[in-house]
Amino acid sequence: NQTHRGATPLASVQGDSLTILQAPGYVSFQKGDWPISGEKIPDMVALTMGFSVQEDLSWPGLRAGQLFQRPRANVLVVVRGVDSLALPQNVASYPLENPVPFTLDSVAETVHSLFADDTPVVLQLAPSEERLYMLGKANAVFEDLPVTLQQIRSRLSQDGSVLASLPLNSLNRNAEADLLFLSEVQVLHDITALLQRHRHLAQDHSPDLYSLELSGLEELGRRYGQDSPQYRDATAILANVLQKFGEDVFGLYGDSAVVEVVTVKSFEAPLTRKSRSILESKQISNPGSPYNLAYKYNFNYAVIFNIVLWLMIILALAVIVISYNLWNMDPGYDSIIYRMTNQKIRLD
């Protein structure tokens, strides 16, 4: 199968966009200016991985692929604070309309339920909110991934930091907003480094899912302005980093991965769970965990809930029926004790 690696797209999309950085040849993305709604991104990701969705995706950008050949991984990167990035080496790019916030929780649940025995990698990360959610083998592989601002500061000062290789130009490694942006670049670098160290993850039969949300550019635009040299330098750096990140992940999975980048200036509606800036508060929202890990969800919860619920209903109905019959019982006819006593009295 030939891949789309290195393909050159049509004219770049202006405004919020969805860019397919990498995709194998059997996942057919059609070039064109077909807009896709932000709320349909999870369905698009599910379809690329071969999963079914509740409603048909009437979007001509993605054609039906091969039934028995699906990518080994899907990587979605959401970049906030910019409507487009210069990503020349891509498969296709589409306008993004109705940019409402979305998550891949439904796709992650499908992956976990269908491949629970194979323990697939499910990683959802938002460094700006110190939010990290892992399932399956990701717990062992990415447990050392820096999440909090303090951890990332320490990581940036260690050997192998991106500070040694990035052209910082106008960026200041001591400024808070600049540090947040650099930390997100460092996280992308560490993810590919960990995958290279654990290449066996890309060789199993279960698909892997990565969802990353980057808001460093948004903080830089808010702090310095979008016409500032800091914002322009950071935009150029992030475009180059994402291009290389997509190529590295695509190669690590044997050219069998889909890498998407969603760029959005600002979301039209607030997230269901309140998001916050890492620069506004350094207090972790989950005090029970120093890493602010998401609470583990037990997928047997629905089963256990239904068992307990219907058992309580059945027991309550049984108590009502028994109490009603006892209240209306005729001791002379319905009770064997009274019946035996009456016969003994008559015999006497």
PDB file of all heavy atoms in Angstrom, residues 300-329:
ATOM      1  N   ASN A 300     -17.378  -1.522  34.146  1.00  0.00           N
ATOM      2  CA  ASN A 300     -18.443  -2.383  34.650  1.00  0.00           C
ATOM      3  C   ASN A 300     -19.461  -1.605  35.473  1.00  0.00           C
ATOM      4  O   ASN A 300     -20.373  -2.202  36.042  1.00  0.00           O
ATOM      5  CB  ASN A 300     -17.846  -3.505  35.510  1.00  0.00           C
ATOM      6  CG  ASN A 300     -17.032  -4.471  34.681  1.00  0.00           C
ATOM      7  OD1 ASN A 300     -17.376  -4.768  33.541  1.00  0.00           O
ATOM      8  ND2 ASN A 300     -15.939  -4.969  35.247  1.00  0.00           N
ATOM      9  N   TYR A 301     -19.279  -0.297  35.546  1.00  0.00           N
ATOM     10  CA  TYR A 301     -20.173   0.519  36.375  1.00  0.00           C
ATOM     11  C   TYR A 301     -21.618   0.388  35.928  1.00  0.00           C
ATOM     12  O   TYR A 301     -22.515   0.209  36.755  1.00  0.00           O
ATOM     13  CB  TYR A 301     -19.735   1.981  36.319  1.00  0.00           C
ATOM     14  CG  TYR A 301     -20.693   2.929  36.989  1.00  0.00           C
ATOM     15  CD1 TYR A 301     -20.691   3.096  38.367  1.00  0.00           C
ATOM     16  CD2 TYR A 301     -21.626   3.648  36.245  1.00  0.00           C
ATOM     17  CE1 TYR A 301     -21.575   3.952  38.984  1.00  0.00           C
ATOM     18  CE2 TYR A 301     -22.523   4.513  36.854  1.00  0.00           C
ATOM     19  CZ  TYR A 301     -22.485   4.658  38.228  1.00  0.00           C
ATOM     20  OH  TYR A 301     -23.372   5.509  38.835  1.00  0.00           O
ATOM     21  N   ALA A 302     -21.872   0.458  34.626  1.00  0.00           N
ATOM     22  CA  ALA A 302     -23.249   0.385  34.129  1.00  0.00           C
ATOM     23  C   ALA A 302     -23.876  -0.969  34.450  1.00  0.00           C
ATOM     24  O   ALA A 302     -25.054  -1.064  34.813  1.00  0.00           O
ATOM     25  CB  ALA A 302     -23.276   0.641  32.622  1.00  0.00           C
ATOM     26  N   VAL A 303     -23.090  -2.036  34.336  1.00  0.00           N
ATOM     27  CA  VAL A 303     -23.606  -3.379  34.622  1.00  0.00           C
ATOM     28  C   VAL A 303     -23.955  -3.509  36.101  1.00  0.00           C
ATOM     29  O   VAL A 303     -25.045  -3.965  36.472  1.00  0.00           O
ATOM     30  CB  VAL A 303     -22.572  -4.443  34.211  1.00  0.00           C
ATOM     31  CG1 VAL A 303     -23.084  -5.836  34.543  1.00  0.00           C
ATOM     32  CG2 VAL A 303     -22.261  -4.326  32.720  1.00  0.00           C
ATOM     33  N   ILE A 304     -23.029  -3.087  36.958  1.00  0.00           N
ATOM     34  CA  ILE A 304     -23.255  -3.191  38.396  1.00  0.00           C
ATOM     35  C   ILE A 304     -24.443  -2.318  38.816  1.00  0.00           C
ATOM     36  O   ILE A 304     -25.267  -2.712  39.646  1.00  0.00           O
ATOM     37  CB  ILE A 304     -21.979  -2.793  39.164  1.00  0.00           C
ATOM     38  CG1 ILE A 304     -20.838  -3.760  38.814  1.00  0.00           C
ATOM     39  CG2 ILE A 304     -22.223  -2.759  40.660  1.00  0.00           C
ATOM     40  CD1 ILE A 304     -19.506  -3.362  39.405  1.00  0.00           C
ATOM     41  N   PHE A 305     -24.532  -1.136  38.238  1.00  0.00           N
ATOM     42  CA  PHE A 305     -25.631  -0.230  38.572  1.00  0.00           C
ATOM     43  C   PHE A 305     -26.979  -0.864  38.235  1.00  0.00           C
ATOM     44  O   PHE A 305     -27.920  -0.809  39.035  1.00  0.00           O
ATOM     45  CB  PHE A 305     -25.464   1.089  37.814  1.00  0.00           C
ATOM     46  CG  PHE A 305     -26.593   2.053  38.033  1.00  0.00           C
ATOM     47  CD1 PHE A 305     -26.646   2.834  39.172  1.00  0.00           C
ATOM     48  CD2 PHE A 305     -27.614   2.172  37.096  1.00  0.00           C
ATOM     49  CE1 PHE A 305     -27.685   3.730  39.376  1.00  0.00           C
ATOM     50  CE2 PHE A 305     -28.656   3.055  37.295  1.00  0.00           C
ATOM     51  CZ  PHE A 305     -28.698   3.834  38.444  1.00  0.00           C
ATOM     52  N   ASN A 306     -27.093  -1.470  37.057  1.00  0.00           N
ATOM     53  CA  ASN A 306     -28.355  -2.100  36.667  1.00  0.00           C
ATOM     54  C   ASN A 306     -28.687  -3.299  37.542  1.00  0.00           C
ATOM     55  O   ASN A 306     -29.854  -3.519  37.890  1.00  0.00           O
ATOM     56  CB  ASN A 306     -28.295  -2.519  35.200  1.00  0.00           C
ATOM     57  CG  ASN A 306     -28.622  -1.377  34.255  1.00  0.00           C
ATOM     58  OD1 ASN A 306     -29.775  -1.121  33.976  1.00  0.00           O
ATOM     59  ND2 ASN A 306     -27.596  -0.689  33.791  1.00  0.00           N
ATOM     60  N   ILE A 307     -27.682  -4.088  37.893  1.00  0.00           N
ATOM     61  CA  ILE A 307     -27.930  -5.238  38.770  1.00  0.00           C
ATOM     62  C   ILE A 307     -28.481  -4.779  40.111  1.00  0.00           C
ATOM     63  O   ILE A 307     -29.484  -5.300  40.618  1.00  0.00           O
ATOM     64  CB  ILE A 307     -26.639  -6.060  38.953  1.00  0.00           C
ATOM     65  CG1 ILE A 307     -26.256  -6.745  37.628  1.00  0.00           C
ATOM     66  CG2 ILE A 307     -26.808  -7.103  40.055  1.00  0.00           C
ATOM     67  CD1 ILE A 307     -24.934  -7.479  37.696  1.00  0.00           C
ATOM     68  N   VAL A 308     -27.825  -3.791  40.737  1.00  0.00           N
ATOM     69  CA  VAL A 308     -28.263  -3.293  42.043  1.00  0.00           C
ATOM     70  C   VAL A 308     -29.642  -2.651  41.941  1.00  0.00           C
ATOM     71  O   VAL A 308     -30.515  -2.871  42.782  1.00  0.00           O
ATOM     72  CB  VAL A 308     -27.224  -2.310  42.605  1.00  0.00           C
ATOM     73  CG1 VAL A 308     -27.736  -1.673  43.892  1.00  0.00           C
ATOM     74  CG2 VAL A 308     -25.891  -3.001  42.834  1.00  0.00           C
ATOM     75  N   LEU A 309     -29.859  -1.855  40.900  1.00  0.00           N
ATOM     76  CA  LEU A 309     -31.133  -1.154  40.756  1.00  0.00           C
ATOM     77  C   LEU A 309     -32.294  -2.122  40.637  1.00  0.00           C
ATOM     78  O   LEU A 309     -33.286  -2.022  41.391  1.00  0.00           O
ATOM     79  CB  LEU A 309     -31.076  -0.242  39.526  1.00  0.00           C
ATOM     80  CG  LEU A 309     -32.399   0.440  39.151  1.00  0.00           C
ATOM     81  CD1 LEU A 309     -32.816   1.400  40.255  1.00  0.00           C
ATOM     82  CD2 LEU A 309     -32.274   1.170  37.822  1.00  0.00           C
ATOM     83  N   TRP A 310     -32.211  -3.083  39.717  1.00  0.00           N
ATOM     84  CA  TRP A 310     -33.337  -3.995  39.498  1.00  0.00           C
ATOM     85  C   TRP A 310     -33.500  -4.985  40.649  1.00  0.00           C
ATOM     86  O   TRP A 310     -34.613  -5.415  40.946  1.00  0.00           O
ATOM     87  CB  TRP A 310     -33.162  -4.731  38.176  1.00  0.00           C
ATOM     88  CG  TRP A 310     -33.305  -3.810  37.010  1.00  0.00           C
ATOM     89  CD1 TRP A 310     -32.331  -3.360  36.183  1.00  0.00           C
ATOM     90  CD2 TRP A 310     -34.523  -3.188  36.569  1.00  0.00           C
ATOM     91  NE1 TRP A 310     -32.846  -2.503  35.260  1.00  0.00           N
ATOM     92  CE2 TRP A 310     -34.182  -2.371  35.467  1.00  0.00           C
ATOM     93  CE3 TRP A 310     -35.849  -3.238  37.007  1.00  0.00           C
ATOM     94  CZ2 TRP A 310     -35.140  -1.632  34.786  1.00  0.00           C
ATOM     95  CZ3 TRP A 310     -36.790  -2.484  36.333  1.00  0.00           C
ATOM     96  CH2 TRP A 310     -36.446  -1.696  35.233  1.00  0.00           C
ATOM     97  N   LEU A 311     -32.400  -5.347  41.313  1.00  0.00           N
ATOM     98  CA  LEU A 311     -32.523  -6.212  42.486  1.00  0.00           C
ATOM     99  C   LEU A 311     -33.284  -5.498  43.599  1.00  0.00           C
ATOM    100  O   LEU A 311     -34.146  -6.096  44.265  1.00  0.00           O
ATOM    101  CB  LEU A 311     -31.135  -6.633  42.963  1.00  0.00           C
ATOM    102  CG  LEU A 311     -31.099  -7.597  44.150  1.00  0.00           C
ATOM    103  CD1 LEU A 311     -31.826  -8.904  43.813  1.00  0.00           C
ATOM    104  CD2 LEU A 311     -29.673  -7.881  44.574  1.00  0.00           C
ATOM    105  N   MET A 312     -33.006  -4.218  43.811  1.00  0.00           N
ATOM    106  CA  MET A 312     -33.732  -3.458  44.830  1.00  0.00           C
ATOM    107  C   MET A 312     -35.212  -3.325  44.464  1.00  0.00           C
ATOM    108  O   MET A 312     -36.087  -3.433  45.332  1.00  0.00           O
ATOM    109  CB  MET A 312     -33.099  -2.073  44.981  1.00  0.00           C
ATOM    110  CG  MET A 312     -31.702  -2.076  45.581  1.00  0.00           C
ATOM    111  SD  MET A 312     -30.972  -0.425  45.633  1.00  0.00           S
ATOM    112  CE  MET A 312     -32.129   0.402  46.712  1.00  0.00           C
ATOM    113  N   ILE A 313     -35.499  -3.101  43.186  1.00  0.00           N
ATOM    114  CA  ILE A 313     -36.899  -2.988  42.764  1.00  0.00           C
ATOM    115  C   ILE A 313     -37.639  -4.304  42.975  1.00  0.00           C
ATOM    116  O   ILE A 313     -38.777  -4.332  43.477  1.00  0.00           O
ATOM    117  CB  ILE A 313     -36.965  -2.548  41.292  1.00  0.00           C
ATOM    118  CG1 ILE A 313     -36.434  -1.112  41.142  1.00  0.00           C
ATOM    119  CG2 ILE A 313     -38.390  -2.641  40.767  1.00  0.00           C
ATOM    120  CD1 ILE A 313     -36.371  -0.622  39.722  1.00  0.00           C
ATOM    121  N   ILE A 314     -37.018  -5.421  42.608  1.00  0.00           N
ATOM    122  CA  ILE A 314     -37.650  -6.739  42.773  1.00  0.00           C
ATOM    123  C   ILE A 314     -37.895  -7.037  44.247  1.00  0.00           C
ATOM    124  O   ILE A 314     -38.968  -7.517  44.639  1.00  0.00           O
ATOM    125  CB  ILE A 314     -36.781  -7.820  42.114  1.00  0.00           C
ATOM    126  CG1 ILE A 314     -36.782  -7.642  40.586  1.00  0.00           C
ATOM    127  CG2 ILE A 314     -37.272  -9.213  42.479  1.00  0.00           C
ATOM    128  CD1 ILE A 314     -35.821  -8.551  39.862  1.00  0.00           C
ATOM    129  N   LEU A 315     -36.892  -6.745  45.095  1.00  0.00           N
ATOM    130  CA  LEU A 315     -37.056  -7.000  46.532  1.00  0.00           C
ATOM    131  C   LEU A 315     -38.157  -6.117  47.112  1.00  0.00           C
ATOM    132  O   LEU A 315     -38.949  -6.568  47.952  1.00  0.00           O
ATOM    133  CB  LEU A 315     -35.733  -6.752  47.258  1.00  0.00           C
ATOM    134  CG  LEU A 315     -34.617  -7.774  46.991  1.00  0.00           C
ATOM    135  CD1 LEU A 315     -33.333  -7.357  47.699  1.00  0.00           C
ATOM    136  CD2 LEU A 315     -35.044  -9.161  47.461  1.00  0.00           C
ATOM    137  N   ALA A 316     -38.230  -4.866  46.693  1.00  0.00           N
ATOM    138  CA  ALA A 316     -39.280  -3.973  47.193  1.00  0.00           C
ATOM    139  C   ALA A 316     -40.664  -4.465  46.782  1.00  0.00           C
ATOM    140  O   ALA A 316     -41.608  -4.480  47.595  1.00  0.00           O
ATOM    141  CB  ALA A 316     -39.035  -2.551  46.675  1.00  0.00           C
ATOM    142  N   LEU A 317     -40.805  -4.905  45.527  1.00  0.00           N
ATOM    143  CA  LEU A 317     -42.086  -5.440  45.079  1.00  0.00           C
ATOM    144  C   LEU A 317     -42.444  -6.717  45.834  1.00  0.00           C
ATOM    145  O   LEU A 317     -43.620  -6.958  46.169  1.00  0.00           O
ATOM    146  CB  LEU A 317     -42.041  -5.709  43.573  1.00  0.00           C
ATOM    147  CG  LEU A 317     -41.963  -4.462  42.669  1.00  0.00           C
ATOM    148  CD1 LEU A 317     -41.811  -4.879  41.221  1.00  0.00           C
ATOM    149  CD2 LEU A 317     -43.222  -3.609  42.847  1.00  0.00           C
ATOM    150  N   ALA A 318     -41.432  -7.553  46.092  1.00  0.00           N
ATOM    151  CA  ALA A 318     -41.692  -8.798  46.831  1.00  0.00           C
ATOM    152  C   ALA A 318     -42.190  -8.506  48.245  1.00  0.00           C
ATOM    153  O   ALA A 318     -43.132  -9.150  48.739  1.00  0.00           O
ATOM    154  CB  ALA A 318     -40.424  -9.649  46.878  1.00  0.00           C
ATOM    155  N   VAL A 319     -41.586  -7.522  48.893  1.00  0.00           N
ATOM    156  CA  VAL A 319     -42.015  -7.162  50.247  1.00  0.00           C
ATOM    157  C   VAL A 319     -43.448  -6.623  50.226  1.00  0.00           C
ATOM    158  O   VAL A 319     -44.276  -6.961  51.096  1.00  0.00           O
ATOM    159  CB  VAL A 319     -41.049  -6.124  50.853  1.00  0.00           C
ATOM    160  CG1 VAL A 319     -41.609  -5.558  52.157  1.00  0.00           C
ATOM    161  CG2 VAL A 319     -39.691  -6.743  51.089  1.00  0.00           C
ATOM    162  N   ILE A 320     -43.777  -5.814  49.229  1.00  0.00           N
ATOM    163  CA  ILE A 320     -45.140  -5.264  49.126  1.00  0.00           C
ATOM    164  C   ILE A 320     -46.157  -6.376  48.910  1.00  0.00           C
ATOM    165  O   ILE A 320     -47.218  -6.426  49.553  1.00  0.00           O
ATOM    166  CB  ILE A 320     -45.198  -4.225  47.989  1.00  0.00           C
ATOM    167  CG1 ILE A 320     -44.336  -3.005  48.342  1.00  0.00           C
ATOM    168  CG2 ILE A 320     -46.633  -3.805  47.718  1.00  0.00           C
ATOM    169  CD1 ILE A 320     -44.205  -2.002  47.219  1.00  0.00           C
ATOM    170  N   VAL A 321     -45.881  -7.303  47.985  1.00  0.00           N
ATOM    171  CA  VAL A 321     -46.820  -8.394  47.692  1.00  0.00           C
ATOM    172  C   VAL A 321     -47.003  -9.296  48.901  1.00  0.00           C
ATOM    173  O   VAL A 321     -48.132  -9.685  49.254  1.00  0.00           O
ATOM    174  CB  VAL A 321     -46.326  -9.189  46.472  1.00  0.00           C
ATOM    175  CG1 VAL A 321     -47.168 -10.448  46.278  1.00  0.00           C
ATOM    176  CG2 VAL A 321     -46.367  -8.322  45.214  1.00  0.00           C
ATOM    177  N   ILE A 322     -45.913  -9.647  49.581  1.00  0.00           N
ATOM    178  CA  ILE A 322     -45.995 -10.527  50.753  1.00  0.00           C
ATOM    179  C   ILE A 322     -46.772  -9.832  51.873  1.00  0.00           C
ATOM    180  O   ILE A 322     -47.626 -10.449  52.538  1.00  0.00           O
ATOM    181  CB  ILE A 322     -44.578 -10.924  51.219  1.00  0.00           C
ATOM    182  CG1 ILE A 322     -43.913 -11.816  50.167  1.00  0.00           C
ATOM    183  CG2 ILE A 322     -44.629 -11.628  52.567  1.00  0.00           C
ATOM    184  CD1 ILE A 322     -42.460 -12.128  50.456  1.00  0.00           C
ATOM    185  N   SER A 323     -46.491  -8.554  52.087  1.00  0.00           N
ATOM    186  CA  SER A 323     -47.201  -7.827  53.142  1.00  0.00           C
ATOM    187  C   SER A 323     -48.696  -7.732  52.825  1.00  0.00           C
ATOM    188  O   SER A 323     -49.543  -7.886  53.730  1.00  0.00           O
ATOM    189  CB  SER A 323     -46.607  -6.416  53.286  1.00  0.00           C
ATOM    190  OG  SER A 323     -45.233  -6.484  53.611  1.00  0.00           O
ATOM    191  N   TYR A 324     -49.051  -7.499  51.597  1.00  0.00           N
ATOM    192  CA  TYR A 324     -50.459  -7.417  51.219  1.00  0.00           C
ATOM    193  C   TYR A 324     -51.170  -8.740  51.455  1.00  0.00           C
ATOM    194  O   TYR A 324     -52.291  -8.773  51.981  1.00  0.00           O
ATOM    195  CB  TYR A 324     -50.557  -7.007  49.743  1.00  0.00           C
ATOM    196  CG  TYR A 324     -51.970  -6.966  49.220  1.00  0.00           C
ATOM    197  CD1 TYR A 324     -52.782  -5.860  49.452  1.00  0.00           C
ATOM    198  CD2 TYR A 324     -52.498  -8.043  48.508  1.00  0.00           C
ATOM    199  CE1 TYR A 324     -54.095  -5.826  48.990  1.00  0.00           C
ATOM    200  CE2 TYR A 324     -53.801  -8.014  48.042  1.00  0.00           C
ATOM    201  CZ  TYR A 324     -54.586  -6.913  48.282  1.00  0.00           C
ATOM    202  OH  TYR A 324     -55.882  -6.883  47.813  1.00  0.00           O
ATOM    203  N   ASN A 325     -50.534  -9.839  51.063  1.00  0.00           N
ATOM    204  CA  ASN A 325     -51.164 -11.143  51.251  1.00  0.00           C
ATOM    205  C   ASN A 325     -51.279 -11.514  52.709  1.00  0.00           C
ATOM    206  O   ASN A 325     -52.274 -12.133  53.134  1.00  0.00           O
ATOM    207  CB  ASN A 325     -50.375 -12.207  50.499  1.00  0.00           C
ATOM    208  CG  ASN A 325     -50.637 -12.173  48.997  1.00  0.00           C
ATOM    209  OD1 ASN A 325     -51.621 -12.705  48.501  1.00  0.00           O
ATOM    210  ND2 ASN A 325     -49.751 -11.513  48.263  1.00  0.00           N
ATOM    211  N   LEU A 326     -50.289 -11.172  53.528  1.00  0.00           N
ATOM    212  CA  LEU A 326     -50.377 -11.461  54.954  1.00  0.00           C
ATOM    213  C   LEU A 326     -51.489 -10.631  55.599  1.00  0.00           C
ATOM    214  O   LEU A 326     -52.189 -11.116  56.505  1.00  0.00           O
ATOM    215  CB  LEU A 326     -49.034 -11.158  55.632  1.00  0.00           C
ATOM    216  CG  LEU A 326     -47.897 -12.147  55.350  1.00  0.00           C
ATOM    217  CD1 LEU A 326     -46.602 -11.667  55.996  1.00  0.00           C
ATOM    218  CD2 LEU A 326     -48.249 -13.536  55.883  1.00  0.00           C
ATOM    219  N   TRP A 327     -51.649  -9.407  55.185  1.00  0.00           N
ATOM    220  CA  TRP A 327     -52.674  -8.547  55.767  1.00  0.00           C
ATOM    221  C   TRP A 327     -54.083  -9.055  55.446  1.00  0.00           C
ATOM    222  O   TRP A 327     -54.985  -8.941  56.269  1.00  0.00           O
ATOM    223  CB  TRP A 327     -52.481  -7.122  55.247  1.00  0.00           C
ATOM    224  CG  TRP A 327     -53.445  -6.145  55.848  1.00  0.00           C
ATOM    225  CD1 TRP A 327     -54.611  -5.709  55.331  1.00  0.00           C
ATOM    226  CD2 TRP A 327     -53.302  -5.499  57.109  1.00  0.00           C
ATOM    227  NE1 TRP A 327     -55.223  -4.827  56.174  1.00  0.00           N
ATOM    228  CE2 TRP A 327     -54.428  -4.669  57.302  1.00  0.00           C
ATOM    229  CE3 TRP A 327     -52.322  -5.537  58.120  1.00  0.00           C
ATOM    230  CZ2 TRP A 327     -54.598  -3.893  58.434  1.00  0.00           C
ATOM    231  CZ3 TRP A 327     -52.507  -4.752  59.241  1.00  0.00           C
ATOM    232  CH2 TRP A 327     -53.636  -3.937  59.386  1.00  0.00           C
ATOM    233  N   ASN A 328     -54.273  -9.586  54.265  1.00  0.00           N
ATOM    234  CA  ASN A 328     -55.595 -10.057  53.841  1.00  0.00           C
ATOM    235  C   ASN A 328     -55.764 -11.572  53.997  1.00  0.00           C
ATOM    236  O   ASN A 328     -56.689 -12.155  53.428  1.00  0.00           O
ATOM    237  CB  ASN A 328     -55.834  -9.668  52.372  1.00  0.00           C
ATOM    238  CG  ASN A 328     -55.913  -8.166  52.171  1.00  0.00           C
ATOM    239  OD1 ASN A 328     -56.942  -7.547  52.398  1.00  0.00           O
ATOM    240  ND2 ASN A 328     -54.788  -7.585  51.766  1.00  0.00           N
ATOM    241  N   MET A 329     -54.916 -12.208  54.732  1.00  0.00           N
ATOM    242  CA  MET A 329     -54.980 -13.655  54.881  1.00  0.00           C
ATOM    243  C   MET A 329     -56.065 -14.036  55.894  1.00  0.00           C
ATOM    244  O   MET A 329     -56.220 -13.371  56.929  1.00  0.00           O
ATOM    245  CB  MET A 329     -53.614 -14.171  55.348  1.00  0.00           C
ATOM    246  CG  MET A 329     -53.546 -15.699  55.479  1.00  0.00           C
ATOM    247  SD  MET A 329     -51.937 -16.261  56.025  1.00  0.00           S
ATOM    248  CE  MET A 329     -51.895 -15.583  57.667  1.00  0.00           C
TER     249      MET A 329
END
